[in-house]
Amino acid sequence: MSRLLEEMTEKALRLNIPLSVQLDLTYRCNERCVHCYLDHHDHGEMSTAEIKHLLEEMAEAGVFILTLSGGEIMLRKDFFEILEYARRQLSFCVKLKTNAILIRDAEAARIRDLGVESIQISIYSHRPEVHDAITLVPGSLNRSLDAASFLKSQGLRVIFANVLMVQNLQDYQGVRALAAEMGIESTMDPTITPMMDGDRSVLSLNIDRGSLHQLFRDESLVMDAEEACGVEDSAQDTLQHLPCSAGHTTCYVSPYGDVYPCVQFPFATGNVRKQRFIDIWRHSDRMNEVRSIRLKDLNTCTSCTHMSSCSRCPGLAYMEGNMRGPSSADCEKSFAKTGVPSANMLAKKRAAANLVQIGSIPAVANMPGAMA
């Protein structure tokens, strides 16, 4: 994070300003990625007029960074009308997330002319057979790479985002090498998010503990996704720190107008079709509940040796059943980094051992935190 952005974030935090918002324009998509957490049907997306009105409200609230995502943003026939309004009328710093397979020369030129800050493109493997098996769209890798290459040639900042799962575990270095060859930035994140409706079956795609351990021992990697969620608050005692930026300087709005603390935190705090965006941000009881939580309020985590360094996501914890509880996925990351089980993992191990003592289950060897 640049020093200027750090200063802006600190000021936004003091003044209760939503500095950065992700707005999903649609959940519809022309890919069917096996790990996707969205329902791709249209249940009543906001109209062009509704989105423009929302953007005006966001600008009045102080939003500076606007990320337009989906689904696939290019499936909205009014995409460029929305983008032009966001840039030329309201002067947002706009970032795009797309699979890019619908971007051709004309679309790339319009994106360039509108001064978009960055375009993030999901690339799961450098091998077509792997990438296309994840998107379930034959030829999708080549089409995404063609678009990325042309966008780069137009002077645009392109970023490859690689979600790591069992299908592409061996390919992250290949994606990084491909990005370097093309002069494109790349990020990698080994986090699979549960479906927004709570379905956790997709978590079976998570890489295993041994692979995660090897990943965190690869010194060439930087876990950008983890760093992006933090809020610098070093002047306060650790227990008074904020768990993350969700609800403090950032939030997420769905295609249906629902406002959440974060795209990975499906705790609805209001709907912009019924209330002004700024009123939800400032006065929603649910948003203020999220905003009130400090590290000292987290169940189990306060006794954990990883508390000050953990990348714990409150949204993932919420989807496990308690926004004040631990996130098992982040416990696994801390364990992979250090070899030291988290307080949550140790608690589960003790609970399993107690069950063994009363004859309920045969063994604990495979429980999280179990040591050889």
Side-chain angles (χ1 to χ4, degrees):
M1 183 185 296
S2 70
R3 181 56 193 163
L4 176 59
L5 188 54
E6 286 181 9
E7 292 174 357
M8 292 174 66
T9 301
E10 290 167 2
K11 186 172 183 179
L13 190 60
R14 290 196 306 271
L15 300 178
N16 192 22
I17 292 172
L19 181 66
S20 177
V21 174
Q22 175 170 320
L23 169 61
D24 278 4
L25 299 179
T26 180
Y27 285 160
R28 290 175 289 128
C29 193
N30 48 3
E31 294 182 334
R32 286 294 181 268
C33 297
V34 296
H35 64 290
C36 187
Y37 52 87
L38 298 176
D39 170 3
H40 294 303
H41 298 289
D42 180 359
H43 298 287
E45 297 169 0
M46 287 186 285
S47 67
T48 308
E50 286 178 307
I51 290 176
K52 285 183 175 180
H53 181 68
L54 171 59
L55 294 179
E56 292 168 359
E57 291 189 348
M58 287 180 176
E60 291 174 3
V63 174
F64 175 63
I65 299 171
L66 174 67
T67 299
L68 298 178
S69 184
E72 174 46 49
I73 53 177
M74 301 296 293
L75 289 181
R76 289 270 318 209
K77 296 184 183 300
D78 57 358
F79 168 71
F80 279 106
E81 183 179 351
I82 292 168
L83 178 59
E84 182 167 352
Y85 196 74
R87 286 291 299 138
R88 292 187 173 159
Q89 299 298 318
L90 300 173
S91 300
F92 287 114
C93 172
V94 176
K95 303 180 179 183
L96 305 179
K97 293 184 178 180
T98 174
N99 58 42
I101 64 177
L102 295 178
I103 296 178
R104 300 292 188 267
D105 293 5
E107 290 80 12
R110 292 190 70 181
I111 291 170
R112 176 202 61 207
D113 293 344
L114 288 169
V116 167
E117 195 276 337
S118 64
I119 305 98
Q120 178 179 296
I121 301 174
S122 296
I123 300 294
Y124 302 111
S125 173
H126 59 297
R127 295 183 292 160
E129 65 272 21
V130 176
H131 176 96
D132 295 358
I134 291 173
T135 66
L136 303 182
V137 176
S140 57
L141 176 61
N142 289 335
R143 291 164 68 184
S144 291
L145 292 180
D146 287 346
S149 180
F150 188 76
L151 289 165
K152 175 67 177 175
S153 75
Q154 298 301 295
L156 291 161
R157 181 187 177 203
V158 181
I159 304 166
F160 286 168
N162 181 13
V163 176
L164 204 61
M165 61 196 93
V166 292
Q167 287 91 331
N168 63 345
L169 173 59
Q170 307 302 323
D171 290 1
Y172 69 89
Q173 291 289 18
V175 173
R176 290 171 63 83
L178 177 62
E181 179 183 336
M182 297 174 67
I184 288 174
E185 301 173 48
S186 65
T187 66
M188 188 276 296
D189 184 14
T191 304
I192 301 297
T193 301
M195 296 286 291
M196 290 191 75
D197 63 4
D199 184 350
R200 300 178 64 79
S201 60
V202 71
L203 297 184
S204 64
L205 301 178
N206 269 315
I207 62 175
D208 61 42
R209 182 178 298 168
S211 299
L212 193 62
H213 178 83
Q214 292 179 4
L215 193 67
F216 279 98
R217 292 296 180 273
D218 188 335
E219 296 180 356
S220 70
L221 295 178
V222 177
M223 298 301 167
D224 307 85
E226 294 174 12
E227 295 177 354
C229 296
V231 173
E232 295 296 329
D233 200 18
S234 57
Q236 300 183 25
D237 179 78
T238 298
L239 291 178
Q240 294 296 331
H241 282 186
L242 306 178
C244 82
S245 59
H248 294 279
T249 58
T250 67
C251 68
Y252 162 68
V253 184
S254 81
Y256 314 121
D258 296 308
V259 180
Y260 302 95
C262 173
V263 69
Q264 290 192 149
F265 199 161
F267 184 65
T269 63
N271 187 287
V272 297
R273 283 171 157 166
K274 301 175 181 178
Q275 302 164 269
R276 292 197 311 153
F277 174 79
I278 190 61
D279 290 336
I280 297 171
W281 177 262
R282 289 180 179 170
H283 306 304
S284 164
D285 290 340
R286 284 187 146 209
M287 188 70 82
N288 284 322
E289 179 185 359
V290 171
R291 201 171 283 144
S292 71
I293 299 172
R294 297 295 182 269
L295 290 182
K296 66 182 178 63
D297 303 315
L298 304 182
N299 300 336
T300 307
C301 298
T302 52
S303 62
C304 185
T305 186
H306 300 298
M307 184 179 63
S308 63
S309 61
C310 181
S311 62
R312 173 190 173 276
C313 172
L316 293 178
Y318 171 73
M319 285 188 274
E320 285 189 40
N322 185 0
M323 73 172 76
R324 293 174 175 80
S327 158
S328 295
D330 291 308
C331 292
E332 289 287 352
K333 290 180 187 176
S334 293
F335 182 52
K337 292 175 185 175
T338 65
V340 178
S342 70
N344 179 44
M345 296 168 78
L346 292 172
K348 287 183 177 180
K349 180 183 177 182
R350 287 193 295 270
N354 290 337
L355 289 174
V356 168
Q357 289 177 357
I358 61 175
S360 298
I361 59 176
V364 296
N366 295 320
M367 291 295 292
M371 305 301 288

